[in-house]
Amino acid sequence: MSKYYLNYLDELESEAIYILREVWAQFENPVILFSGGKDSILVTHLAKKAFYPSKIPFALMHVDTGHNFPETIQFRNDLVEKLGVKLIVGSVQESIDQGRVAEERGKNATRNALQITTLLDAIEENKIDCAIGGGRRDEEKARAKERFFSHRDDFGQWDPKNQRPELWNLLNGKHFEGEHFRAFPISNWTEMDVWNYIKRENISIPSLYFAHEREVVFRSNSWIPVSEYLKLEEGEQVEKKKIRFRTLGDITITGGIESDADTLDKIALEVSAMRKTERGDRSDDKRSETAMEDRKKQGYF
């Protein structure tokens, strides 16, 4: 009898689709956390495959800091219109205006941590019991501790030392009123896997991932894009460089790398030689050794 084997991308796809279907089976009102980055785009594509020919049964939820790349917002709007899905937007600016959070000040000020309050408010307001994210274990050491189904208490907090076992692919989504879960279907994917799958599936992504000329400033050992939110310090010079972004966050904290990779093939080749995680150019992760884990314990993505 001949045996049928899946290649590694098919195995990862199958695992992710299983998790997405388990989310739909176990929760009442799940959403996909959508940032406009490649990982959330990938999760949305997998959800489309998981429930085809029906529409994606999840709404997309975006926590809008107000400091996004314009290209990201345009991509988000175009995709939502194309898929015909509901978009939920939580506004950090509204949280600031309402006095729920305070704007950071100083050279390295960012709205990154302010997203926590906005996200938890949106989850409570919309009665969301599971938020599906595109986090991967290879991105950052705190994300390596996450399970596929990650429990959050009634304060939205995460306890990395008190997670439910996931033996034999059995996922436990039981929770009390007020609690919720985060689900991570692509936890086992690497950055290289993501790019190989994007290439295979011909998935559209924002142009920011491809090398292009942009005005930037060298800060915190990476190239920060010039924008209306960037305040130049003494001695800093604006330069025009051909760069691309390996990960997308706020325009104020997302550092680019010098690159000539303007095609998916070139990106895959470049990533194969990388020895630094893609979040290595995110200034919000450089604040301390435990910056990401501290934020996640409070309710971050």
Side-chain angles (χ1 to χ4, degrees):
M1 179 186 297
S2 61
K3 293 184 178 180
Y4 177 72
Y5 295 97
L6 297 175
N7 71 28
Y8 80 101
L9 285 179
D10 290 329
E11 288 183 3
L12 290 170
E13 178 190 71
S14 179
E15 179 182 66
I17 285 175
Y18 166 74
I19 293 163
L20 286 164
R21 289 173 176 168
E22 279 294 300
V23 169
W24 184 241
Q26 295 193 39
F27 297 98
E28 295 293 328
N29 188 31
V31 297
I32 293 176
L33 293 175
F34 190 84
S35 66
K38 67 182 187 308
D39 297 318
S40 61
I41 292 169
L42 173 60
V43 170
T44 305
H45 177 82
L46 288 164
K48 182 180 176 181
K49 295 191 78 169
F51 299 98
Y52 182 83
S54 298
K55 286 202 310 183
I56 295 175
F58 311 117
L60 303 187
M61 187 166 82
H62 179 215
V63 178
D64 184 358
T65 65
H67 289 175
N68 299 283
F69 285 92
E71 297 95 327
T72 305
I73 297 298
Q74 185 61 54
F75 187 93
R76 180 202 71 184
N77 294 341
D78 291 344
L79 184 63
V80 166
E81 182 178 357
K82 179 181 177 181
L83 296 176
V85 296
K86 179 182 178 182
L87 174 66
I88 301 169
V89 178
S91 171
V92 171
Q93 185 60 55
E94 286 185 11
S95 297
I96 295 171
D97 295 341
Q98 294 167 4
R100 297 279 293 150
V101 293
E103 184 92 68
E104 287 188 3
R105 305 295 178 188
K107 174 182 175 181
N108 296 314
T110 170
R111 289 185 171 184
N112 192 264
L114 307 189
Q115 296 178 84
I116 298 171
T117 298
T118 306
L119 171 62
L120 295 179
D121 286 348
I123 286 173
E124 183 176 1
E125 180 182 344
N126 293 279
K127 295 181 170 57
I128 293 162
D129 53 0
C130 183
I132 307 164
R136 307 188 326 269
R137 293 187 177 118
D138 79 319
E139 285 184 278
E140 205 275 340
K141 54 184 178 291
R143 285 185 167 169
K145 299 177 182 180
E146 290 276 22
R147 302 287 171 87
F148 287 124
F149 275 18
S150 184
H151 176 261
R152 298 299 196 270
D153 65 20
D154 50 357
F155 293 102
Q157 297 175 327
W158 173 62
D159 183 358
K161 295 181 180 179
N162 185 25
Q163 297 192 78
R164 299 178 182 182
E166 293 181 343
L167 305 175
W168 305 291
N169 291 328
L170 297 177
L171 305 176
N172 181 2
K174 291 184 179 180
H175 59 284
F176 292 108
E177 185 72 26
E179 300 176 343
H180 73 278
F181 272 76
R182 308 287 170 84
F184 301 101
I186 62 171
S187 284
N188 287 335
W189 297 52
T190 66
E191 184 184 8
M192 193 67 179
D193 297 333
V194 170
W195 285 115
N196 284 335
Y197 189 80
I198 287 173
K199 179 185 173 184
R200 189 185 82 170
E201 299 286 304
N202 194 28
I203 301 172
S204 296
I205 55 174
S207 59
L208 296 162
Y209 285 110
F210 299 99
H212 58 287
E213 285 197 346
R214 195 179 193 109
E215 289 189 336
V216 290
V217 171
F218 195 71
R219 178 185 292 181
S220 299
N221 206 33
S222 59
W223 294 103
I224 303 296
V226 173
S227 70
E228 59 182 300
Y229 312 109
L230 183 69
K231 296 180 180 179
L232 294 180
E233 297 293 312
E234 186 176 348
E236 289 185 331
Q237 286 187 322
V238 174
E239 301 182 49
K240 203 164 190 178
K241 294 280 185 180
K242 192 173 184 181
I243 64 167
R244 75 173 193 89
F245 300 94
R246 293 177 67 192
T247 178
L248 297 183
D250 273 6
I251 197 170
T252 57
I253 58 172
T254 304
I257 60 171
E258 290 190 71
S259 173
D260 291 316
D262 53 6
T263 67
L264 290 175
D265 285 328
K266 290 180 181 178
I267 289 175
L269 184 62
E270 183 179 81
V271 169
S272 68
M274 291 287 185
R275 292 296 177 267
K276 182 168 74 171
T277 174
E278 64 193 278
R279 292 190 66 94
D281 291 307
R282 289 282 290 270
S283 59
D284 53 324
D285 289 347
K286 298 178 181 179
R287 293 190 167 191
S288 73
E289 282 295 318
T290 59
M292 171 65 83
E293 183 162 330
D294 292 341
R295 294 199 305 272
K296 286 179 73 64
K297 286 179 180 179
Q298 297 172 46
Y300 188 71
F301 311 130

